[in-house]
């Protein structure tokens, strides 16, 4: 069988296997395959209609019937027609704008948004952020909020919509750079666009969203540079922007150097002396020179906690911890969530013969730094919650997958496979976007993560319970919040979470539990003004006047003459006197 036919068959088998896995896992309890079991946490329509469309497209007679429409759109992409291009960009922006993330489970969603809402200086909460991250995710949204134009979440969603449109344009440019037509062009663009990173464009406010878009841009501009000699300045600009945005953009540098070498070496060597070329080369080099010291400082200060924390050392060190416990399953979850077809890369590469094309080498080098670091990166919330840390990895894998799919479809006698590919990535991506629009289903998935197998490590469990406590508190679900914080402090009894537990228990009317939580907090933070004030307020309601007086006296020791504590103490004296008179 010719290599292209083998690759096409491998692609069809892979798509069918993924569709079958999603079908089965939609009914199986457990969170081992959390990148494929999202059906469990969606409404029946959202769970099965996209799946059914993708499965139906695997049937050749059905796929052939809709292939002409896909071919026309693919040809429009190939021509770079303005109207279809703008329509795709607008549709992408509208898609993420309409599917607002209300669950807010991923990564530092609650922290980042809270920083803007409360006007806290970023250096006090996320001091590791680079200047462009602060500008996009603090300075700009705070200015918009202060002007009354939108709130913190609205500003993040506006930025996300603009970035979704940009990602769509990049995906189309990638297909054009590969000189694709028909269903193959549409399929390649779909694989490049429809990844899990879209979920970061629906209200999340952190640099990993832009890093995913920049990764795709590096791929598109690099391919254009290697194949056609154009895109030198945009590629350099993308790397320069990344270096001002997040330290992980250092991962772009090897692919950038390779693209320079492939395009400017040999016959193109004379171009090195052209002013335009020199300017294009100078841009990322200048950014590296300016941002390099800051990046190194941030990496040395903050990254050891992600790569060699006490928990990692307790598991036997960096190498053993990389694949300990549920880590292999979680890494598979990452890949299937962030790049739906990336698991097919080895099969496609082997079926068509290991690709030796220059663009394959470039895309592999672009992906390698992000893929190589994945096993050794241990975010505090675990891979299931902190998947945003790996958005660039998912985007890089999607671009490599898109190239392999494109080369498979380019000469195949089964162009209808392009229909199946496009629907196979669009369906899961739409579900990934739709799921957090329903806060109750989002909370149900978080509960499944801590209550169902596999058992998760202590810090990861604490992070998820902390999220459940915080989000339920915001929703005024006091009992659920108190219960979640109770679970959180079982694993990580920090002073902050103990106080959050006390506050939630107070709002739930469970004053005895609130007193217990405040006592535990104050054992850790004996000089906490808010802790003693909370204890005084709760004990005054029980009432336990002796404990309330002790708390108020301690407050006056911490802040002599404090007006609030003094006023409460006078009120306590009057109440005790009133009760004494009533008892005579």
């Amino acid at each position: 069988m010719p290599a292209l036919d083998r690759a096409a068959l491998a692609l069809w088998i892979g798509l069918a296997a993924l569709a079958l896995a999603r079908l089965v896992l939609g009914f199986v309890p457990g969170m081992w395959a959390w990148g494929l079991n999202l059906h469990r946490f969606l409404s029946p329509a959202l769970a099965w209609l996209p799946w059914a469309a993708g499965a139906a497209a695997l049937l050749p007679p059905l796929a052939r019937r809709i292939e002409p429409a896909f071919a026309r759109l693919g040809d429009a992409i190939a021509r770079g027609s303005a109207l279809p291009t703008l329509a795709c960009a607008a549709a992408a922006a509208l898609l993420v704008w309409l599917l607002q993330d209300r669950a807010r489970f991923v990564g530092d969603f609650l922290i980042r948004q809270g920083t803007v809402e409360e006007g806290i200086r970023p250096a006090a909460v996320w001091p590791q952020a680079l200047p462009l991250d602060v500008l996009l995710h603090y300075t700009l949204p705070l200015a918009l909020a202060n002007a009354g134009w939108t709130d913190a979440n609205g500003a993040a969603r506006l930025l996300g919509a603009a970035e979704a449109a940009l990602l769509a344009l990049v995906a189309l440019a990638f297909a054009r750079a590969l000189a694709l037509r028909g269903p193959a062009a549409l399929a390649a663009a779909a694989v490049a666009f429809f990844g899990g990173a879209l979920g970061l464009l629906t209200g999340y406010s952190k640099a990993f969203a832009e890093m995913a878009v920049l990764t795709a841009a590096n791929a598109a501009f690099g391919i254009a540079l290697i194949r056609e000699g154009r895109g030198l300045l945009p590629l350099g600009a993308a790397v320069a922007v990344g270096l001002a945005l997040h330290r992980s953009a250092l991962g772009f540098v090897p692919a950038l150097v390779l693209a320079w070498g492939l395009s400017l070496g040999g016959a193109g060597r004379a171009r090195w002396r052209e002013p335009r070329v020199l300017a294009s080369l100078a841009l990322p080099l200048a950014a590296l020179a300016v941002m390099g010291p800051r990046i190194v400082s941030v990496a040395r200060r903050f990254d050891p906690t992600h790569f060699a924390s006490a928990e990692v050392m307790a598991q036997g060190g960096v190498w053993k911890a990389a694949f300990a416990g549920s880590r292999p399953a979680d890494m598979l979850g990452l890949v299937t969530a962030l790049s739906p077809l990336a698991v097919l890369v080895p099969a496609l590469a082997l079926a068509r013969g290991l690709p030796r094309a220059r663009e394959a080498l470039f895309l592999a080098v672009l992906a390698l730094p992000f893929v190589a670091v994945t096993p050794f990166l241990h975010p505090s919330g675990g891979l299931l919650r902190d998947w945003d840390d790996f958005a660039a990895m998912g985007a890089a894998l999607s671009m490599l997958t898109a190239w392999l799919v494109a080369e498979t479809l380019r000469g195949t006698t089964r162009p209808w496979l392009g229909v199946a590919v496009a629907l196979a990535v669009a369906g899961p991506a739409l579900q990934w976007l739709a799921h957090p629009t329903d806060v109750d289903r989002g909370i149900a998935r978080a509960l499944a993560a801590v209550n169902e197998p596999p058992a998760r490590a202590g810090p990861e469990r604490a992070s998820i319970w902390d999220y459940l406590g915080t989000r339920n508190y915001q929703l005024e679900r006091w009992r659920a919040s108190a219960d979640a914080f109770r679970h959180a402090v079982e694993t990580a009894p920090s002073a902050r979470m103990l106080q959050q537990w006390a506050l939630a228990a107070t709002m739930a009317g469970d004053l005895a539990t609130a007193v217990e939580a405040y006592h535990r907090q104050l054992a850790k933070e004996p000089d906490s003004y808010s802790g003693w004030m909370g204890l005084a307020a709760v004990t005054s309601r029980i009432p336990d006047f002796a404990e309330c007086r002790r708390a108020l006296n301690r407050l006056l020791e911490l802040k002599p003459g404090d007006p609030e504590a003094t006023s409460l103490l006078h009120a306590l004296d009057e109440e005790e006197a009133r009760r004494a008179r009533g008892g005579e």
Side-chain angles (χ1 to χ4, degrees), residues 47-58:
W48 299 114
L49 288 179
W51 179 89
L58 291 169

Side-chain angles (χ1 to χ4, degrees), residues 465 468-469 472-473 475-487 501 503-511 513:
W465 281 120
L468 287 164
N472 278 306
Y473 194 93
L475 297 168
E476 299 184 0
R477 300 172 180 180
W478 312 121
R479 292 193 181 279
S481 175
D483 182 65
F485 280 122
R486 176 178 62 80
H487 283 289
W501 181 25
L503 290 169
T506 301
M507 297 302 294
D510 188 354
L511 303 184
T513 296

Side-chain angles (χ1 to χ4, degrees), residues 148 323 345 539-540:
F323 301 98
V345 165
T539 51
S540 70

Side-chain angles (χ1 to χ4, degrees), residues 34-115:
W34 54 267
L36 295 170
N37 74 347
L38 200 59
H39 295 62
R40 291 183 54 206
F41 309 101
L42 289 164
S43 68
L46 282 172
W48 299 114
L49 288 179
W51 179 89
L58 291 169
L59 303 175
L62 292 178
R64 289 192 184 101
R65 291 181 67 87
I66 56 176
E67 179 194 335
F70 278 62
R72 287 192 294 272
L73 183 53
D75 288 340
I77 291 172
R79 292 191 301 270
S81 303
L83 185 58
T85 299
L86 293 176
C88 287
L94 184 62
L95 176 69
V96 299
W97 176 259
L98 293 176
L99 297 177
Q100 178 185 2
D101 186 340
R102 294 183 175 86
R104 303 175 182 179
F105 175 65
V106 58
D108 292 336
F109 198 125
L110 299 177
I111 294 174
R112 285 293 187 122
Q113 183 167 304
T115 303

